[in-house]
Amino acid sequence: MWQRETFKKIKQIPREEHVLPGTALCAGCGGLEALRLAAKVLGDHVVYVNAAGCFTMLAAYPYSSFKGSWLYTTMGSAPAGAQGIRDALDVLIAKGRVPKDEDVKVIVLGGDGSTYDMALSSTSGAMNRKLDFYYICYDNEAYGNTGMQLSPATPFAARTATSPCSLQHPGATQEKKDIFEIWRAHRPPYIATVAPRYPLDLAEKFARAAAYTGPKMFLALSACPTGWGYDPGATPEVAKLAVETGLWPLKEAVNGVVTHTYIPKRKPVEAYLQLQGRFRHLFEPTVHTEAIRHIQGQVDAYWRQAIQEQA
Amino acid sequence: MVAVRFHGRGGQGAKTASRILGTAAFVSGYVAQDSPIYGAERRGAPVAAFTRFGRDPIRERGAIAHPDVLVVADASLLDDAAAHVLDGVTGQTVLFVNSSLSADRLRTHLTLPEHVTTRDVTGVALQQLGAREAISALLGAVAARVVGLEWEPVRSAIDRELRDLGLAEPVLERNLTAARLCYDSVEPARLPQGAVQAVGAASLHHPAYEPPTKGTARIAAAGNSVLRETGGWRTFRPVLVADRCNGCWLCFAYCPDGVISMNREDRPVVDYAHCKGCQICVHECPTHALIAEREQEGGVAWTAK
Ligand SMILES: Cc1ncc(C[n+]2csc(CCOP(=O)(O)OP(=O)(O)O)c2C)c(N)n1
Ligand code: SF4
Ligand code: SF4
Ligand code: SF4
Ligand SMILES: [Mg+2]
């Protein structure tokens, strides 16, 4: 059984904020919630390396939400930027110009469009070179900042600006790319999935990752009221159902060995889908039983295998 | 040609309202165009959209500098200099403001043109649609009435545009009912006919090359985003009913913007200057100690110090 060691109860969440308010991100942004919780563990001695996306708005001239540093890069090159920053820091540490005990961390902050798509080769390179960095992908399952276009992280049947829904087009026709397994094939020391509604699970994973040198990869479910079509107040509910239906497994991989950190009882996927405008066409005006059954089938198959492997 | 400019906050539906007006005009037999200012606009951030229609082909494109009609989806935008709502407004401009305050009340602190109509469109939306739905159909209907379009083309435009957004049938019906109420609540305005807008000659600039050390925007201050207040984004504010609170910290844990802090008695203190009003804390409080109260108007959507 996986157990939390550092974060056992809610009141252990550090009070200090490291992502300051006044941001231009939407009210109720699930990605921001995940980052805020992660930053409580990561602290202020950080250099964020950001790929263009919603989070770019967190440090858009002339305002920054961070006490640490921030470098803005193109969508395809954040991990390469991280390599440059890490190397420069190491040189400065060697020259005695940056104190080693400040333990400055380099953290890539990329959306799913960047992570699953444009920066995949750059990420692969960084993992292959065993770059000592964190990677946080905030996954809102579409190219959000430009108006919610289909990305390889978009789940099957979801409506996006470029996967419209009509009788001919039942939303996205491809399946969500399994970036966790693509990362795992590179054998980085630490990979984890997290979700904002599970703050202790999230904080614990960032605390555990600190023990490893090399790539520490995080995939954060970023429930997105604007793009997914639900009321901003429902972000925790949506994130919770993503986990409770089994659609978003909470897990980690330490040196390639996978552990599920929470085994959901698995509510029917409808509970999750029905909350969101991007899946409404599956229920109205007629119910697309086939598509829903397909989604349920994928989840069931995933957990059958996961439980078998864990046993 | 009639030029209508819409101002709203991301998520309110100003962009779709502008589309609805354009489509309604087109269905009525006019030539029409509509376009939003497209940027990285977020829910709550100021946005603008433009509709032109007329009998003759329209050659102007892009932003409308001098609108005949100005539709403001949120009164608080009027106080927000960064939203540039009143730019290019002349004595002739017909102004519609979504507000429960009268035009005279607004005039006590703002310089407004002669023709100002206010209606509480948000109030109608709250009654007819439920909390915090976009008010695009309602605003589109108001704008269409102000410029003198008939109801039938407006109805069909709303139907088309909202259906395109994937709205469910019952939601669509509720929008049509609410839109009709708003349509009937305003009068057509007398608009200056055939006024030709001056179009400036374009001049080309060659940007000079600057090395990245000079040409890249650099922020030297740390954590200065707090200088920008987002409290005016709210339509509802979370309010604590202290004796119901059990001090569990969940509201603090879940607030995405980190604007709840727990005091010494383990009671939440909300930073209203920055709370965006997402209502996550209200939804997640296990004892219903946080309740949502509708904001009174007059706040500033987005201020910067
Ligand atoms: C090479 C390149 N193509 C397109 C863009 C335009 N662009 C800016 S942000 C963005 C969306 C990024 O999507 P994602 O990485 O998922 O982040 P999100 O916006 O969803 O947070 C796009 C397409 C760009 N900056 N660079
Ligand atoms: S579009 Fe979605 S991910 Fe982007 S800021 Fe808004 S809520 Fe967050
Ligand atoms: S309404 Fe949203 S932003 Fe405001 S305090 Fe509650 S959770 Fe935070
Ligand atoms: S969630 Fe509710 S009960 Fe818990 S601390 Fe906040 S206000 Fe109090
Ligand atoms: Mg994205």
Side-chain angles (χ1 to χ4, degrees), chain A residues 82-100:
Chain A
Q83 178 85 53
I85 297 284
R86 185 68 262 166
D87 291 351
L89 283 170
D90 290 343
V91 168
L92 291 173
I93 289 168
K95 286 185 175 171
R97 284 170 58 190
V98 168
K100 191 173 167 47

Side-chain angles (χ1 to χ4, degrees), chain A residues 52-55 72 75 110-115 118 138 140 142-146:
Chain A
C54 284
F55 277 15
Y72 170 58
M75 283 191 71
D112 51 288
S114 166
T115 302
M118 291 194 209
Y138 62 99
N140 61 4
Y143 284 89
N145 199 39
T146 38

